[in-house]
Amino acid sequence: MEDIRVLIADDEKEIRDLLKKYLEKEFYRVDVAGNGEEALHLFDDNKYNLIILDIMMPKVDGIEVCRRLRNKTNVPILMLTAKDHEVDKILGLSIGADDYITKPFSINEVVARVKALLRRFLVLGSDRSSHENKLIKFKGISIDLKKCTVITAGEEVSLTAKEFQLLKFFATHPGQVFTKTQLFRNVWDGNYPEDDNTVMVHIRKLRKKIEADPSNPQFILTVWGLGYKFAGEKDEQ
């Protein structure tokens, strides 16, 4: 198996060095950048399996770096920030970030999230995977797993990264019922949160975007007392 390579971009040397030290203990190859411009140059010159971006960086900030990288690659992007404002989280994830962690952080938590993102990408979501090179088609909806795009009623739907991951999980397990806990563990890669509205809020937003009538959904159905399931009918074409 080829080496797993990680790019860390953060303007704080102490954080770069700390992350590099602990990720190298996991036998990853790690490159570091002190600003967004340097990170973009390193990405163009090398092949990475995961990228860690600080939001507040000089020259080119992490949001803009993420936006540009998403036009080139589908590798996992983990955002770091000293801010804990919801607007930053929404902005970061809506332009293609896969996860988000706030400073100060536990180094063990960062390593755990990196492992989870890499596992999902290398096993389920690699652009080298045949699974990722196909379309999932149901009557009324088409999901491109490689391009991370969704078309319903003949039009492309704009989804956040997490909304797409949630839809992808449903669509790759059609007819299977999942509890909110199971959905959170599989899509968010974590234990069930204290605020159990997380899954419901994302499902509600997803229904508004892909269902012709969100109040009477045809794809993501509620199974009362149990959870949710994807009930799309396979397109045989």
Side-chain angles (χ1 to χ4, degrees):
M1 180 179 177
E2 67 180 85
D3 291 338
I4 293 176
R5 196 164 185 177
V6 177
L7 172 61
I8 299 168
D10 195 299
D11 61 340
E12 296 183 58
K13 185 178 185 301
E14 295 80 5
I15 290 179
R16 295 197 305 269
D17 292 346
L18 178 67
L19 291 172
K20 179 178 172 68
K21 174 183 175 181
Y22 276 84
L23 291 178
E24 285 181 338
K25 286 183 178 180
E26 302 296 328
F27 302 103
Y28 303 148
R29 292 178 62 192
V30 181
D31 293 333
V32 296
N35 59 66
E37 188 176 275
E38 185 182 357
L40 290 169
H41 287 315
L42 281 170
F43 179 85
D44 287 339
D45 293 339
N46 302 282
K47 182 177 179 61
Y48 294 102
N49 303 104
L50 182 137
I51 301 164
I52 299 176
L53 293 177
D54 181 32
I55 287 184
M56 301 298 291
M57 288 191 295
K59 296 188 177 181
V60 183
D61 66 32
I63 294 293
E64 181 60 24
V65 172
C66 182
R67 195 189 311 277
R68 294 186 194 180
L69 291 179
R70 271 295 168 255
N71 292 326
K72 304 177 180 181
T73 182
N74 66 335
V75 300
I77 297 176
L78 173 64
M79 305 296 289
L80 301 176
T81 181
K83 296 183 177 181
D84 192 23
H85 301 305
E86 189 65 23
V87 66
D88 291 324
K89 296 180 182 180
I90 293 171
L91 180 58
L93 296 177
S94 67
I95 50 86
D98 296 275
D99 203 355
Y100 185 105
I101 193 165
T102 304
K103 302 175 184 176
F105 50 73
S106 159
I107 187 63
N108 290 330
E109 181 182 3
V110 175
V111 172
R113 294 203 193 187
V114 165
K115 287 182 176 180
L117 288 170
L118 283 169
R119 180 174 65 250
R120 187 168 62 214
F121 177 69
L122 295 175
V123 176
L124 299 176
S126 172
D127 53 6
R128 295 170 303 195
S129 165
S130 60
H131 174 74
E132 199 66 27
N133 288 330
K134 69 179 183 180
L135 292 171
I136 297 181
K137 291 187 176 182
F138 296 88
K139 290 186 178 179
I141 190 169
S142 176
I143 306 167
D144 189 320
L145 300 181
K146 180 175 177 61
K147 296 180 180 178
C148 297
T149 57
V150 176
I151 295 176
T152 181
E155 296 185 0
E156 184 171 338
V157 180
S158 178
L159 302 181
T160 66
K162 196 59 66 178
E163 287 167 352
F164 183 83
Q165 291 164 17
L166 180 60
L167 177 60
K168 175 181 174 180
F169 183 76
F170 273 126
T172 52
H173 300 84
Q176 189 171 344
V177 179
F178 294 97
T179 66
K180 288 184 290 184
T181 301
Q182 289 172 323
L183 289 172
F184 191 87
R185 286 175 177 169
N186 281 278
V187 178
W188 279 261
D189 288 309
N191 295 320
Y192 198 61
E194 293 181 6
D195 178 8
D196 65 358
N197 287 324
T198 300
V199 172
M200 291 188 295
V201 167
H202 279 77
I203 287 176
R204 183 170 66 248
K205 290 180 178 179
L206 190 53
R207 281 172 170 166
K208 287 182 179 179
K209 294 182 178 182
I210 69 170
E211 302 281 3
D213 179 6
S215 63
N216 183 30
Q218 302 301 305
F219 296 115
I220 301 175
L221 306 185
T222 299
V223 182
W224 297 108
L226 294 176
Y228 302 91
K229 71 175 182 179
F230 189 83
E233 184 179 348
K234 277 282 189 179
D235 189 337
E236 300 301 329
Q237 289 187 332

